[in-house]
Amino acid sequence: MSVLSITFHCTKNNLEEWENYIDETLVLMTENLLDVNKYILSEVHSDYIEDGKNYNLLLIFDNDDLREDFIKSELVNIAEIVENKFGQEVMIFNTFLNPKKTRL
């Protein structure tokens, strides 16, 4: 199992448009990803973020090779689409999670 956490930070100015985008587009893109075994799309609650809001897409792959392929192709496409639509109003942060022990 291989996991990738993608955090999207949206500024206060674009929250409504970003949430609509998540519901109408990002969910469909995620559903159509061939190599993703499972995923969780979450709104992130944090007491420390005041200028906007974070959302997280946790993707679970069968192995590291599938995750690496996704990063080189699909993630690049998703990042370009988000940047073209939202510019600097939505920032993307990737975190590679390498499970030591799981119970999913």
Side-chain angles (χ1 to χ4, degrees):
M1 176 173 63
S2 189
V3 183
L4 177 64
S5 172
I6 306 170
T7 300
F8 301 91
H9 174 75
C10 183
T11 61
K12 282 191 242 186
N13 302 337
N14 285 48
L15 281 175
E16 185 176 338
E17 184 179 1
W18 174 248
E19 288 182 357
N20 288 336
Y21 182 80
I22 288 173
D23 293 340
E24 296 170 5
T25 306
L26 189 62
V27 169
L28 290 175
M29 280 195 295
T30 305
E31 287 285 333
N32 289 323
L33 295 171
L34 298 176
D35 294 330
V36 175
N37 192 11
K38 296 177 183 177
Y39 75 90
I40 300 170
L41 180 59
S42 305
E43 182 177 324
V44 178
H45 173 76
S46 176
D47 292 334
Y48 303 104
I49 298 175
E50 295 178 13
D51 181 37
K53 193 182 261 188
N54 285 350
Y55 300 82
N56 185 269
L57 180 58
L58 187 71
L59 303 173
I60 301 173
F61 301 88
D62 285 335
N63 58 55
D64 289 345
D65 291 334
L66 292 174
R67 179 176 72 176
E68 189 65 31
D69 291 344
F70 172 83
I71 291 165
K72 290 178 180 175
S73 61
E74 294 298 329
L75 185 56
V76 172
N77 293 335
I78 291 169
E80 284 179 10
I81 292 167
V82 170
E83 185 177 332
N84 288 338
K85 182 156 182 67
F86 294 96
Q88 298 298 313
E89 299 298 316
V90 174
M91 294 171 275
I92 301 173
F93 303 94
N94 303 319
T95 304
F96 300 87
L97 304 175
N98 301 309
K100 296 284 188 185
K101 185 175 177 180
T102 63
R103 186 175 175 182
L104 290 176

